[in-house]
Amino acid sequence: MNDNVDDQDGEPEATAEGAADWAIPVFRTINTPSGRHALRLEAAFWDGLARLAQHEGRKTTDLVRDLVVLDRGIGANLSSTIRSAVVKRLLDRDAALAPLTAPLALVKLMQLAPLPSFALNRAKTLVRVNEEFVRYLRNALSKTGPVEKAQLKLDQAAETLFAEIAPGTAVECGISIRLDNHEHRTQARIVIPPTISHPILVGFISH
């Protein structure tokens, strides 16, 4: 467990054998202008405090001291106030990131890059393209009409790509693009965006 809280006292409380580490109560003491405060929080809440403090670019101790001051204004149980504050702040962060976890939101963000880009699902269905891809396809196939019916065929099996592409890596793959009676061959760099519940292959035309 990673934390920067000063004045740590004692060891984690003894619990039943097999208890989850995150549920084990841990005692700490915090020095504040109003005096020393003993806190008994489960390990998961100390980890949450450390994560929040890191996100805010400050020490865990400083964050806890702010929460102690908050508790004095509320007049509630200190440990309960801190637990509630950790959950509320983490929920707020989750809500702020929610737009990026919506279906295809991250793909849309990636496709703002000024490169022709397409996205395929596991069924090898074209689920999204950007404007650069539309212009590229019209130029490559000399087509002026809609390109929504374009069919993409990867040189490597889609399931192989889903299995082999690790986070933060990319694979070069040949592709064929067919529209009506026209076909175009090219190369694409394929990646899999993280944090998407239903994995999607995102390709960027590289040639």
Side-chain angles (χ1 to χ4, degrees):
M1 183 174 59
N2 180 23
D3 62 69
N4 298 315
V5 177
D6 298 331
D7 306 318
Q8 299 184 17
D9 284 348
E11 297 294 331
E13 245 183 76
T15 57
E17 185 176 354
D21 290 345
W22 52 265
I24 297 175
V26 179
F27 281 97
R28 304 269 168 82
T29 57
I30 303 295
N31 284 322
T32 72
S34 62
R36 288 170 64 86
H37 297 266
L39 295 176
R40 177 182 179 274
L41 300 172
E42 292 75 15
F45 287 103
W46 289 114
D47 286 344
L49 287 164
R51 181 69 61 85
L52 289 169
Q54 182 182 36
H55 178 71
E56 296 176 8
R58 58 197 306 210
K59 292 183 178 180
T60 306
T61 310
D62 295 334
L63 175 58
V64 175
R65 285 173 180 149
D66 286 352
L67 295 177
V68 170
V69 173
L70 174 65
D71 177 72
R72 291 176 63 192
I74 296 175
N77 175 272
L78 178 56
S79 295
S80 296
T81 298
I82 291 178
R83 289 189 185 95
S84 299
V86 169
V87 173
K88 179 62 169 64
R89 294 192 185 195
L90 289 175
L91 287 174
D92 288 345
R93 283 190 61 193
D94 182 72
L97 294 173
L100 289 179
T101 63
L104 297 182
L106 186 55
V107 174
K108 181 179 179 180
L109 183 63
M110 294 172 64
Q111 289 184 333
L112 292 176
L115 294 171
S117 178
F118 59 88
L120 296 172
N121 60 18
R122 284 190 178 273
K124 294 178 284 190
T125 301
L126 195 63
V127 296
R128 196 180 193 283
V129 299
N130 61 5
E131 287 298 322
E132 286 78 6
F133 182 85
V134 173
R135 289 195 294 268
Y136 170 85
L137 202 56
R138 285 175 175 165
N139 290 333
L141 300 178
S142 299
K143 299 287 289 184
T144 57
V147 296
E148 288 79 7
K149 295 183 180 180
Q151 296 179 329
L152 274 69
K153 182 178 180 181
L154 304 173
D155 288 355
Q156 299 183 50
E159 285 303 320
T160 300
L161 293 172
F162 277 114
E164 294 183 353
I165 299 178
T169 66
V171 170
E172 295 289 333
C173 181
I175 62 171
S176 296
I177 307 174
R178 177 179 290 275
L179 182 60
D180 297 331
N181 295 322
H182 298 78
E183 184 173 356
H184 178 69
R185 288 280 306 169
T186 187
Q187 288 284 121
R189 178 166 294 179
I190 310 292
V191 299
I192 297 179
T195 70
I196 292 182
S197 56
H198 302 288
I200 291 174
L201 296 175
V202 179
F204 296 89
I205 302 297
S206 54
H207 291 89

